[in-house]
Amino acid sequence: MEIIWFLIVGLVAGWLAGVLVKGGGYGLVGDMVVGILGALLGGYLFGSLGGAVGGGLLGSIVVATLGAVILIVILRLLKRA
């Protein structure tokens, strides 16, 4: 059951990141991949910086969305170079 929640959080976070960065979405699978990678990146960054977000679904979505936004910005910078 946890994998389903992980995929849902990834999908929501990827979609939110696409909206926040104003680049549009990447489709269902693309948003999910961006969100999952963003969740991993966000979790790593928050953990290494000593940050803590309240647990639960909302905290997971916030961390994953921030990580996905950072991931999209980095990918766009690399694409321009």
Side-chain angles (χ1 to χ4, degrees), residues 7-55:
L7 293 175
I8 291 172
V9 167
L11 179 62
V12 171
W15 175 78
L16 279 173
V19 170
L20 291 172
V21 180
K22 294 183 176 51
Y26 297 103
L28 182 68
V29 175
D31 283 346
M32 193 178 298
V33 169
V34 167
I36 289 171
L37 292 175
L40 296 172
L41 178 63
Y44 173 76
L45 290 175
F46 270 79
S48 63
L49 294 175
V53 174

Side-chain angles (χ1 to χ4, degrees), residues 25-80:
Y26 297 103
L28 182 68
V29 175
D31 283 346
M32 193 178 298
V33 169
V34 167
I36 289 171
L37 292 175
L40 296 172
L41 178 63
Y44 173 76
L45 290 175
F46 270 79
S48 63
L49 294 175
V53 174
L57 184 61
L58 185 60
S60 298
I61 291 174
V62 168
V63 169
T65 301
L66 290 174
V69 166
I70 292 169
L71 178 66
I72 290 172
V73 169
I74 290 171
L75 289 175
R76 287 189 181 171
L77 289 174
L78 290 175
K79 189 176 181 181
R80 287 185 188 171

